[in-house]
Amino acid sequence: MKRLYEADAYTRDWPESHWRRSLPVPAPAPRLTGQATAEVAVIGAGYAGLSAAHELVTRFGTDVVVLDAVQPGWGASGRNGGFCCLGGSKLSDRAIIRRVGDEGARAFHLFQRAAIDGVADFLQTHGIDARQGPEGETYLAHTPAAYRALAEAAAADPTARLIPPEALAEAGLAGPAFHGALQVAHGFPLHPLAYVEGLARVAAAAGVRIHGDSPVLHLAPEGGGWRLDTPDGTLRAKRVLVATNGYSSEDLPRWLAGRSLPALSSIMVTRPISAEERAAQGFTSALMAADTRTALHYFRHLPDGRFLFGMRGGTSAAPAAIAATQTRVRVHFDAMFPAWTGVETESRWSGFVCLTGSLAPFVGRVPGAEGLFAALGWHGSGVAPASRGGRLAARLIAGAEADIPALMALPPRRFPLPAFRRTALAAGYLAAELRDGALPRSPRP
Ligand SMILES: Cc1cc2nc3c(=O)[nH]c(=O)nc-3n(C[C@H](O)[C@H](O)[C@H](O)COP(=O)(O)OP(=O)(O)OC[C@H]3O[C@@H](n4cnc5c(N)ncnc54)[C@H](O)[C@@H]3O)c2cc1C
C-alpha cells in the first residue's frame, strides 16, 4: 500500500482517544483467513463502509463482507469531534452553484439535512446511546467582518438566530476571540465511537461479516469480479466498495492516485471543568460550536463536564510533529479560553479527514473499472455525510434508485502536482492563518 504520510499514522498504537477511554473495548472482529467469497466486499469499517454494508444486507438481502485494516471505527469514525452536523465539502456556496447550478446546490443541502436525520433515526431505532447534547450549532465570528457575513446568512435563514457581540456573554458564549455568533437549528453532538461501534454491532447482527486486522494489500479484477488479498486470506467478490477516506492508499485502487488528500485534525479533551470554572470563562453554552476561521477551531462541552477542543493537525504524522501540533492546540485553547489555562489536558489525539481534488465528496462508480465503487471525501465533516453517502453507495451497487446529488456524483479530479500535495496543504494553512489574523495573545508564556 502506497500512502501519503509517515507509516506512524497507520499503526494500531496511535494515541488513545477520550472516546476509547470512556467505552469498554468490544470483542475484536476476527481476521480474514483462508478463502472467502461475497457478493459485495467493502474496504473500510467506518461510518461509510458499515452504513453501506448495513443497507445492502437489510434492504437488498446482499451477502456482504467488510474488511478493515485494524478494527471497526479505528479510522476517523471512532476518533472525531462528534459533531453530527452539516458539511461534506470545502467549496463555498457560490462555487457549488457554479458547478452544479441552483438545483444541484439545493440537492446537496437537502442531502446534508437528510444525513443528520438519518443518523438520529438510526440511533433511536437501534437503541444506541450516543447522543450527547441539544440540537443546533453555533458559528462564532472571529472578526467583525466575519460577523457581518453571519448577519447576511441569518437574513436568508428564518430558523437561524443571530447573536450580536454584546449579547455573547448572556448566551454563554463569552471569549476574547469571538465577535458575534450565528446559531443554526441543525445537527447534534454524539459519542462518535459509541455510534460507529453500535453501527458495527447492528450490521453484524443483520448478517454483515466484518473482519478486523485484515488490511487489503492487493485489489485486482479476476473472472468478472474482484480479488482482495489480505495477509492471511483472499476474498473474491462480484462488486467492491472502497470506503477508506482519509486512510486511503494511493494505489488501492490505482485510480485514486493523486485524487485524495488526507489532512490531520487534532483534538484535546480537558479534565472535567467545574460549574464555577465554566462561569469564570463565561463559555457555558451546551451547543456544539466552531469559529469562522478558514482553519477553524471546533469545541464543545461534554456531558461529564470535560471540554473538547479541536483544530487542524499539521502536515506531518511523525511523532515529533504530532507532539508539536498538540502543544499548538493547547496554545490556541489557552488563547481562546484564558480562564481555563489551569485546566489540565487529559487526552489528545489526531486522525485523518479526506479532501478530494474537486473539494467535494464522491459516491459512485470508479470510472473504467466494472463493479468497483467508491464513497469518500467528506472533508472536515463526515459523521452525517459519510453515513448517508455509504447508504447511497449501497443503493447504487444494488442497482436501485440512489438519488446521489450531482455535486457528489462527479468523480474527483486529481490535484495539480499531486506529489506536492502536503507542501501545498502547508502553504494553504499558512495563507489561511494570514487571512484569519492572529488569535488573542495567549496568557501562557
Ligand atoms: C480528529 C478528527 C475530528 C473530526 N471531527 C469531526 C466532527 O466533529 N464532525 C464530523 O462530521 N466529522 C468530523 N471528522 C471527519 C469524520 O470523522 C470522517 O469524515 C468520517 O469518520 C469518515 O468516515 P469513513 O467511514 O469514510 O472513514 P474512516 O472512519 O476514516 O474509515 C476508513 C477505514 O478504512 C480502513 N482502511 C484503510 N485502508 C484499508 C485497507 N487497505 N484495507 C482495509 N481497511 C482499510 C481504516 O482502517 C479505517 O478504519 C473528524 C475527523 C478527525 C480525524
mmCIF file of all heavy atoms in Angstrom, residues 350-397:
data_model
loop_
_atom_site.group_PDB
_atom_site.id
_atom_site.type_symbol
_atom_site.label_atom_id
_atom_site.label_comp_id
_atom_site.label_asym_id
_atom_site.label_seq_id
_atom_site.Cartn_x
_atom_site.Cartn_y
_atom_site.Cartn_z
ATOM 1 N N SER A 350 -5.094 12.567 17.240
ATOM 2 C CA SER A 350 -5.437 13.140 15.936
ATOM 3 C C SER A 350 -5.811 12.038 14.950
ATOM 4 O O SER A 350 -5.695 10.845 15.261
ATOM 5 C CB SER A 350 -4.294 13.998 15.400
ATOM 6 O OG SER A 350 -3.076 13.353 15.581
ATOM 7 N N GLY A 351 -6.241 12.439 13.792
ATOM 8 C CA GLY A 351 -6.639 11.471 12.764
ATOM 9 C C GLY A 351 -6.829 12.189 11.442
ATOM 10 O O GLY A 351 -6.685 13.412 11.357
ATOM 11 N N PHE A 352 -7.136 11.389 10.425
ATOM 12 C CA PHE A 352 -7.215 11.951 9.068
ATOM 13 C C PHE A 352 -8.644 12.218 8.601
ATOM 14 O O PHE A 352 -9.500 11.329 8.665
ATOM 15 C CB PHE A 352 -6.593 10.995 8.052
ATOM 16 C CG PHE A 352 -5.097 10.966 8.103
ATOM 17 C CD1 PHE A 352 -4.431 9.779 8.397
ATOM 18 C CD2 PHE A 352 -4.353 12.104 7.851
ATOM 19 C CE1 PHE A 352 -3.045 9.742 8.438
ATOM 20 C CE2 PHE A 352 -2.960 12.074 7.894
ATOM 21 C CZ PHE A 352 -2.308 10.890 8.184
ATOM 22 N N VAL A 353 -8.865 13.435 8.100
ATOM 23 C CA VAL A 353 -10.033 13.704 7.278
ATOM 24 C C VAL A 353 -9.561 13.555 5.821
ATOM 25 O O VAL A 353 -8.374 13.344 5.582
ATOM 26 C CB VAL A 353 -10.605 15.120 7.532
ATOM 27 C CG1 VAL A 353 -10.911 15.324 8.992
ATOM 28 C CG2 VAL A 353 -9.659 16.210 7.042
ATOM 29 N N CYS A 354 -10.477 13.670 4.875
ATOM 30 C CA CYS A 354 -10.087 13.439 3.484
ATOM 31 C C CYS A 354 -10.616 14.536 2.564
ATOM 32 O O CYS A 354 -11.821 14.767 2.498
ATOM 33 C CB CYS A 354 -10.626 12.087 3.027
ATOM 34 S SG CYS A 354 -10.298 11.704 1.311
ATOM 35 N N LEU A 355 -9.683 15.215 1.904
ATOM 36 C CA LEU A 355 -10.052 16.197 0.881
ATOM 37 C C LEU A 355 -9.945 15.518 -0.482
ATOM 38 O O LEU A 355 -9.167 14.564 -0.632
ATOM 39 C CB LEU A 355 -9.084 17.377 0.906
ATOM 40 C CG LEU A 355 -9.243 18.464 1.974
ATOM 41 C CD1 LEU A 355 -9.163 17.885 3.379
ATOM 42 C CD2 LEU A 355 -8.165 19.528 1.821
ATOM 43 N N THR A 356 -10.691 16.005 -1.455
ATOM 44 C CA THR A 356 -10.511 15.488 -2.822
ATOM 45 C C THR A 356 -10.075 16.640 -3.733
ATOM 46 O O THR A 356 -10.237 17.814 -3.385
ATOM 47 C CB THR A 356 -11.816 14.903 -3.399
ATOM 48 O OG1 THR A 356 -12.748 15.985 -3.606
ATOM 49 C CG2 THR A 356 -12.425 13.864 -2.482
ATOM 50 N N GLY A 357 -9.583 16.278 -4.897
ATOM 51 C CA GLY A 357 -9.137 17.284 -5.860
ATOM 52 C C GLY A 357 -10.268 18.180 -6.334
ATOM 53 O O GLY A 357 -10.020 19.252 -6.881
ATOM 54 N N SER A 358 -11.512 17.755 -6.126
ATOM 55 C CA SER A 358 -12.662 18.584 -6.516
ATOM 56 C C SER A 358 -13.251 19.315 -5.325
ATOM 57 O O SER A 358 -14.244 20.035 -5.490
ATOM 58 C CB SER A 358 -13.765 17.701 -7.120
ATOM 59 O OG SER A 358 -13.255 16.926 -8.157
ATOM 60 N N LEU A 359 -12.712 19.093 -4.144
ATOM 61 C CA LEU A 359 -13.209 19.690 -2.893
ATOM 62 C C LEU A 359 -14.656 19.312 -2.602
ATOM 63 O O LEU A 359 -15.380 20.028 -1.906
ATOM 64 C CB LEU A 359 -13.044 21.219 -2.898
ATOM 65 C CG LEU A 359 -11.610 21.724 -3.046
ATOM 66 C CD1 LEU A 359 -11.567 23.249 -2.986
ATOM 67 C CD2 LEU A 359 -10.708 21.142 -1.951
ATOM 68 N N ALA A 360 -15.101 18.191 -3.150
ATOM 69 C CA ALA A 360 -16.467 17.696 -2.904
ATOM 70 C C ALA A 360 -16.390 16.187 -2.677
ATOM 71 O O ALA A 360 -15.465 15.532 -3.170
ATOM 72 C CB ALA A 360 -17.355 18.005 -4.100
ATOM 73 N N PRO A 361 -17.362 15.629 -1.957
ATOM 74 C CA PRO A 361 -17.346 14.175 -1.746
ATOM 75 C C PRO A 361 -17.675 13.429 -3.041
ATOM 76 O O PRO A 361 -18.198 14.023 -3.985
ATOM 77 C CB PRO A 361 -18.459 13.940 -0.717
ATOM 78 C CG PRO A 361 -19.049 15.253 -0.384
ATOM 79 C CD PRO A 361 -18.516 16.277 -1.324
ATOM 80 N N PHE A 362 -17.404 12.141 -3.019
ATOM 81 C CA PHE A 362 -17.731 11.311 -4.188
ATOM 82 C C PHE A 362 -18.421 10.029 -3.751
ATOM 83 O O PHE A 362 -17.938 9.319 -2.869
ATOM 84 C CB PHE A 362 -16.451 10.956 -4.960
ATOM 85 C CG PHE A 362 -16.699 10.009 -6.119
ATOM 86 C CD1 PHE A 362 -17.567 10.364 -7.154
ATOM 87 C CD2 PHE A 362 -16.079 8.775 -6.175
ATOM 88 C CE1 PHE A 362 -17.813 9.492 -8.216
ATOM 89 C CE2 PHE A 362 -16.307 7.900 -7.243
ATOM 90 C CZ PHE A 362 -17.174 8.263 -8.256
ATOM 91 N N VAL A 363 -19.562 9.742 -4.383
ATOM 92 C CA VAL A 363 -20.223 8.441 -4.235
ATOM 93 C C VAL A 363 -20.532 7.984 -5.646
ATOM 94 O O VAL A 363 -21.328 8.618 -6.351
ATOM 95 C CB VAL A 363 -21.532 8.551 -3.421
ATOM 96 C CG1 VAL A 363 -22.266 7.212 -3.420
ATOM 97 C CG2 VAL A 363 -21.251 8.998 -1.992
ATOM 98 N N GLY A 364 -19.874 6.921 -6.093
ATOM 99 C CA GLY A 364 -20.150 6.494 -7.464
ATOM 100 C C GLY A 364 -19.278 5.344 -7.911
ATOM 101 O O GLY A 364 -18.550 4.733 -7.120
ATOM 102 N N ARG A 365 -19.392 5.061 -9.211
ATOM 103 C CA ARG A 365 -18.589 4.004 -9.824
ATOM 104 C C ARG A 365 -17.194 4.538 -10.097
ATOM 105 O O ARG A 365 -17.051 5.683 -10.532
ATOM 106 C CB ARG A 365 -19.177 3.612 -11.187
ATOM 107 C CG ARG A 365 -20.555 3.059 -11.095
ATOM 108 C CD ARG A 365 -21.189 2.960 -12.493
ATOM 109 N NE ARG A 365 -22.607 2.679 -12.341
ATOM 110 C CZ ARG A 365 -23.097 1.474 -12.090
ATOM 111 N NH1 ARG A 365 -22.284 0.436 -12.012
ATOM 112 N NH2 ARG A 365 -24.390 1.284 -11.916
ATOM 113 N N VAL A 366 -16.203 3.715 -9.883
ATOM 114 C CA VAL A 366 -14.841 4.096 -10.275
ATOM 115 C C VAL A 366 -14.769 3.981 -11.792
ATOM 116 O O VAL A 366 -15.028 2.900 -12.342
ATOM 117 C CB VAL A 366 -13.809 3.176 -9.588
ATOM 118 C CG1 VAL A 366 -12.416 3.425 -10.146
ATOM 119 C CG2 VAL A 366 -13.850 3.382 -8.078
ATOM 120 N N PRO A 367 -14.481 5.094 -12.469
ATOM 121 C CA PRO A 367 -14.509 5.057 -13.936
ATOM 122 C C PRO A 367 -13.583 3.974 -14.504
ATOM 123 O O PRO A 367 -12.453 3.797 -14.029
ATOM 124 C CB PRO A 367 -14.014 6.451 -14.338
ATOM 125 C CG PRO A 367 -14.278 7.309 -13.140
ATOM 126 C CD PRO A 367 -14.142 6.417 -11.948
ATOM 127 N N GLY A 368 -14.099 3.248 -15.471
ATOM 128 C CA GLY A 368 -13.283 2.265 -16.184
ATOM 129 C C GLY A 368 -13.032 0.981 -15.424
ATOM 130 O O GLY A 368 -12.205 0.169 -15.851
ATOM 131 N N ALA A 369 -13.712 0.775 -14.289
ATOM 132 C CA ALA A 369 -13.480 -0.448 -13.506
ATOM 133 C C ALA A 369 -14.841 -1.061 -13.152
ATOM 134 O O ALA A 369 -15.456 -0.656 -12.168
ATOM 135 C CB ALA A 369 -12.681 -0.135 -12.249
ATOM 136 N N GLU A 370 -15.282 -2.003 -13.954
ATOM 137 C CA GLU A 370 -16.602 -2.628 -13.770
ATOM 138 C C GLU A 370 -16.731 -3.245 -12.364
ATOM 139 O O GLU A 370 -15.849 -3.987 -11.930
ATOM 140 C CB GLU A 370 -16.740 -3.718 -14.857
ATOM 141 C CG GLU A 370 -18.058 -4.440 -14.911
ATOM 142 C CD GLU A 370 -19.242 -3.527 -15.225
ATOM 143 O OE1 GLU A 370 -19.049 -2.567 -15.996
ATOM 144 O OE2 GLU A 370 -20.324 -3.777 -14.666
ATOM 145 N N GLY A 371 -17.790 -2.864 -11.670
ATOM 146 C CA GLY A 371 -18.041 -3.472 -10.352
ATOM 147 C C GLY A 371 -17.273 -2.830 -9.211
ATOM 148 O O GLY A 371 -17.325 -3.326 -8.083
ATOM 149 N N LEU A 372 -16.555 -1.737 -9.484
ATOM 150 C CA LEU A 372 -15.794 -1.077 -8.418
ATOM 151 C C LEU A 372 -16.414 0.292 -8.112
ATOM 152 O O LEU A 372 -16.660 1.084 -9.028
ATOM 153 C CB LEU A 372 -14.337 -0.913 -8.856
ATOM 154 C CG LEU A 372 -13.350 -0.417 -7.802
ATOM 155 C CD1 LEU A 372 -13.294 -1.363 -6.601
ATOM 156 C CD2 LEU A 372 -11.942 -0.293 -8.407
ATOM 157 N N PHE A 373 -16.666 0.541 -6.833
ATOM 158 C CA PHE A 373 -17.351 1.760 -6.399
ATOM 159 C C PHE A 373 -16.524 2.435 -5.307
ATOM 160 O O PHE A 373 -15.720 1.787 -4.636
ATOM 161 C CB PHE A 373 -18.735 1.413 -5.832
ATOM 162 C CG PHE A 373 -19.647 0.737 -6.826
ATOM 163 C CD1 PHE A 373 -19.509 -0.627 -7.108
ATOM 164 C CD2 PHE A 373 -20.624 1.451 -7.495
ATOM 165 C CE1 PHE A 373 -20.339 -1.251 -8.023
ATOM 166 C CE2 PHE A 373 -21.475 0.835 -8.415
ATOM 167 C CZ PHE A 373 -21.322 -0.525 -8.687
ATOM 168 N N ALA A 374 -16.777 3.726 -5.101
ATOM 169 C CA ALA A 374 -16.092 4.437 -4.016
ATOM 170 C C ALA A 374 -17.067 5.389 -3.336
ATOM 171 O O ALA A 374 -17.995 5.912 -3.980
ATOM 172 C CB ALA A 374 -14.886 5.221 -4.550
ATOM 173 N N ALA A 375 -16.871 5.586 -2.042
ATOM 174 C CA ALA A 375 -17.664 6.564 -1.269
ATOM 175 C C ALA A 375 -16.693 7.200 -0.291
ATOM 176 O O ALA A 375 -16.313 6.587 0.709
ATOM 177 C CB ALA A 375 -18.808 5.873 -0.529
ATOM 178 N N LEU A 376 -16.267 8.417 -0.592
ATOM 179 C CA LEU A 376 -15.247 9.057 0.246
ATOM 180 C C LEU A 376 -15.122 10.550 -0.071
ATOM 181 O O LEU A 376 -15.741 11.046 -1.003
ATOM 182 C CB LEU A 376 -13.880 8.376 0.048
ATOM 183 C CG LEU A 376 -13.408 8.037 -1.381
ATOM 184 C CD1 LEU A 376 -12.905 9.266 -2.098
ATOM 185 C CD2 LEU A 376 -12.323 6.986 -1.345
ATOM 186 N N GLY A 377 -14.315 11.214 0.779
ATOM 187 C CA GLY A 377 -14.033 12.639 0.537
ATOM 188 C C GLY A 377 -15.015 13.537 1.259
ATOM 189 O O GLY A 377 -15.582 14.462 0.660
ATOM 190 N N TRP A 378 -15.178 13.330 2.565
ATOM 191 C CA TRP A 378 -16.185 14.093 3.316
ATOM 192 C C TRP A 378 -15.601 15.372 3.880
ATOM 193 O O TRP A 378 -16.258 16.062 4.648
ATOM 194 C CB TRP A 378 -16.758 13.219 4.445
ATOM 195 C CG TRP A 378 -16.976 11.809 4.009
ATOM 196 C CD1 TRP A 378 -16.268 10.701 4.402
ATOM 197 C CD2 TRP A 378 -17.941 11.322 3.056
ATOM 198 N NE1 TRP A 378 -16.722 9.575 3.750
ATOM 199 C CE2 TRP A 378 -17.750 9.928 2.923
ATOM 200 C CE3 TRP A 378 -18.940 11.936 2.302
ATOM 201 C CZ2 TRP A 378 -18.513 9.138 2.066
ATOM 202 C CZ3 TRP A 378 -19.702 11.146 1.452
ATOM 203 C CH2 TRP A 378 -19.492 9.774 1.344
ATOM 204 N N HIS A 379 -14.357 15.658 3.566
ATOM 205 C CA HIS A 379 -13.673 16.856 4.061
ATOM 206 C C HIS A 379 -13.757 16.892 5.585
ATOM 207 O O HIS A 379 -13.694 15.844 6.211
ATOM 208 C CB HIS A 379 -14.188 18.085 3.313
ATOM 209 C CG HIS A 379 -13.850 17.953 1.844
ATOM 210 N ND1 HIS A 379 -14.627 17.246 0.969
ATOM 211 C CD2 HIS A 379 -12.774 18.373 1.144
ATOM 212 C CE1 HIS A 379 -14.051 17.212 -0.224
ATOM 213 N NE2 HIS A 379 -12.926 17.901 -0.143
ATOM 214 N N GLY A 380 -13.936 18.047 6.215
ATOM 215 C CA GLY A 380 -13.862 18.061 7.692
ATOM 216 C C GLY A 380 -15.073 17.468 8.376
ATOM 217 O O GLY A 380 -15.031 17.183 9.564
ATOM 218 N N SER A 381 -16.172 17.278 7.658
ATOM 219 C CA SER A 381 -17.425 16.887 8.310
ATOM 220 C C SER A 381 -18.000 15.642 7.670
ATOM 221 O O SER A 381 -18.681 15.729 6.644
ATOM 222 C CB SER A 381 -18.451 18.016 8.198
ATOM 223 O OG SER A 381 -17.936 19.186 8.767
ATOM 224 N N GLY A 382 -17.738 14.509 8.293
ATOM 225 C CA GLY A 382 -18.191 13.254 7.685
ATOM 226 C C GLY A 382 -19.113 12.423 8.541
ATOM 227 O O GLY A 382 -19.587 11.385 8.074
ATOM 228 N N VAL A 383 -19.381 12.843 9.780
ATOM 229 C CA VAL A 383 -20.205 11.982 10.633
ATOM 230 C C VAL A 383 -21.526 11.694 9.927
ATOM 231 O O VAL A 383 -21.891 10.533 9.695
ATOM 232 C CB VAL A 383 -20.444 12.626 12.018
ATOM 233 C CG1 VAL A 383 -21.438 11.804 12.825
ATOM 234 C CG2 VAL A 383 -19.127 12.762 12.778
ATOM 235 N N ALA A 384 -22.245 12.746 9.578
ATOM 236 C CA ALA A 384 -23.527 12.541 8.901
ATOM 237 C C ALA A 384 -23.340 12.207 7.411
ATOM 238 O O ALA A 384 -23.882 11.209 6.933
ATOM 239 C CB ALA A 384 -24.411 13.777 9.094
ATOM 240 N N PRO A 385 -22.527 13.002 6.655
ATOM 241 C CA PRO A 385 -22.425 12.724 5.213
ATOM 242 C C PRO A 385 -21.876 11.334 4.872
ATOM 243 O O PRO A 385 -22.352 10.703 3.924
ATOM 244 C CB PRO A 385 -21.475 13.821 4.707
ATOM 245 C CG PRO A 385 -21.673 14.951 5.663
ATOM 246 C CD PRO A 385 -21.880 14.286 6.995
ATOM 247 N N ALA A 386 -20.886 10.842 5.625
ATOM 248 C CA ALA A 386 -20.347 9.507 5.315
ATOM 249 C C ALA A 386 -21.413 8.445 5.574
ATOM 250 O O ALA A 386 -21.517 7.461 4.833
ATOM 251 C CB ALA A 386 -19.097 9.225 6.146
ATOM 252 N N SER A 387 -22.217 8.668 6.622
ATOM 253 C CA SER A 387 -23.260 7.688 6.947
ATOM 254 C C SER A 387 -24.272 7.605 5.801
ATOM 255 O O SER A 387 -24.609 6.523 5.327
ATOM 256 C CB SER A 387 -23.981 8.092 8.239
ATOM 257 O OG SER A 387 -23.057 8.228 9.298
ATOM 258 N N ARG A 388 -24.735 8.764 5.365
ATOM 259 C CA ARG A 388 -25.728 8.754 4.269
ATOM 260 C C ARG A 388 -25.063 8.390 2.941
ATOM 261 O O ARG A 388 -25.646 7.685 2.124
ATOM 262 C CB ARG A 388 -26.430 10.108 4.165
ATOM 263 C CG ARG A 388 -27.548 10.092 3.131
ATOM 264 C CD ARG A 388 -28.558 11.189 3.316
ATOM 265 N NE ARG A 388 -29.568 11.180 2.275
ATOM 266 C CZ ARG A 388 -30.625 10.370 2.240
ATOM 267 N NH1 ARG A 388 -30.798 9.486 3.208
ATOM 268 N NH2 ARG A 388 -31.497 10.430 1.258
ATOM 269 N N GLY A 389 -23.844 8.880 2.743
ATOM 270 C CA GLY A 389 -23.127 8.565 1.498
ATOM 271 C C GLY A 389 -22.953 7.065 1.335
ATOM 272 O O GLY A 389 -23.093 6.513 0.240
ATOM 273 N N GLY A 390 -22.642 6.369 2.435
ATOM 274 C CA GLY A 390 -22.499 4.914 2.379
ATOM 275 C C GLY A 390 -23.803 4.251 1.969
ATOM 276 O O GLY A 390 -23.815 3.322 1.155
ATOM 277 N N ARG A 391 -24.904 4.759 2.501
ATOM 278 C CA ARG A 391 -26.209 4.157 2.162
ATOM 279 C C ARG A 391 -26.562 4.412 0.688
ATOM 280 O O ARG A 391 -27.126 3.553 0.016
ATOM 281 C CB ARG A 391 -27.305 4.673 3.098
ATOM 282 C CG ARG A 391 -27.122 4.118 4.494
ATOM 283 C CD ARG A 391 -28.210 4.422 5.480
ATOM 284 N NE ARG A 391 -27.735 3.989 6.795
ATOM 285 C CZ ARG A 391 -27.851 2.743 7.273
ATOM 286 N NH1 ARG A 391 -28.470 1.824 6.557
ATOM 287 N NH2 ARG A 391 -27.348 2.427 8.449
ATOM 288 N N LEU A 392 -26.217 5.591 0.190
ATOM 289 C CA LEU A 392 -26.473 5.865 -1.233
ATOM 290 C C LEU A 392 -25.600 4.961 -2.107
ATOM 291 O O LEU A 392 -26.055 4.464 -3.148
ATOM 292 C CB LEU A 392 -26.209 7.342 -1.556
ATOM 293 C CG LEU A 392 -27.101 8.366 -0.838
ATOM 294 C CD1 LEU A 392 -26.868 9.760 -1.414
ATOM 295 C CD2 LEU A 392 -28.571 8.008 -0.939
ATOM 296 N N ALA A 393 -24.369 4.742 -1.676
ATOM 297 C CA ALA A 393 -23.484 3.841 -2.435
ATOM 298 C C ALA A 393 -24.097 2.443 -2.486
ATOM 299 O O ALA A 393 -24.063 1.777 -3.535
ATOM 300 C CB ALA A 393 -22.105 3.791 -1.787
ATOM 301 N N ALA A 394 -24.686 2.010 -1.374
ATOM 302 C CA ALA A 394 -25.297 0.675 -1.330
ATOM 303 C C ALA A 394 -26.410 0.569 -2.368
ATOM 304 O O ALA A 394 -26.524 -0.429 -3.085
ATOM 305 C CB ALA A 394 -25.855 0.414 0.068
ATOM 306 N N ARG A 395 -27.222 1.619 -2.467
ATOM 307 C CA ARG A 395 -28.334 1.576 -3.430
ATOM 308 C C ARG A 395 -27.800 1.513 -4.861
ATOM 309 O O ARG A 395 -28.329 0.790 -5.701
ATOM 310 C CB ARG A 395 -29.230 2.801 -3.254
ATOM 311 C CG ARG A 395 -30.014 2.690 -1.964
ATOM 312 C CD ARG A 395 -30.882 3.894 -1.743
ATOM 313 N NE ARG A 395 -30.953 4.133 -0.302
ATOM 314 C CZ ARG A 395 -31.581 5.132 0.258
ATOM 315 N NH1 ARG A 395 -32.187 6.021 -0.466
ATOM 316 N NH2 ARG A 395 -31.588 5.257 1.561
ATOM 317 N N LEU A 396 -26.756 2.289 -5.102
ATOM 318 C CA LEU A 396 -26.148 2.274 -6.440
ATOM 319 C C LEU A 396 -25.622 0.868 -6.764
ATOM 320 O O LEU A 396 -25.841 0.331 -7.857
ATOM 321 C CB LEU A 396 -25.001 3.290 -6.459
ATOM 322 C CG LEU A 396 -24.326 3.565 -7.782
ATOM 323 C CD1 LEU A 396 -25.296 4.269 -8.738
ATOM 324 C CD2 LEU A 396 -23.083 4.445 -7.573
ATOM 325 N N ILE A 397 -24.944 0.271 -5.801
ATOM 326 C CA ILE A 397 -24.370 -1.065 -6.005
ATOM 327 C C ILE A 397 -25.481 -2.090 -6.251
ATOM 328 O O ILE A 397 -25.347 -2.992 -7.076
ATOM 329 C CB ILE A 397 -23.524 -1.466 -4.763
ATOM 330 C CG1 ILE A 397 -22.273 -0.586 -4.686
ATOM 331 C CG2 ILE A 397 -23.143 -2.941 -4.809
ATOM 332 C CD1 ILE A 397 -21.509 -0.698 -3.373
#
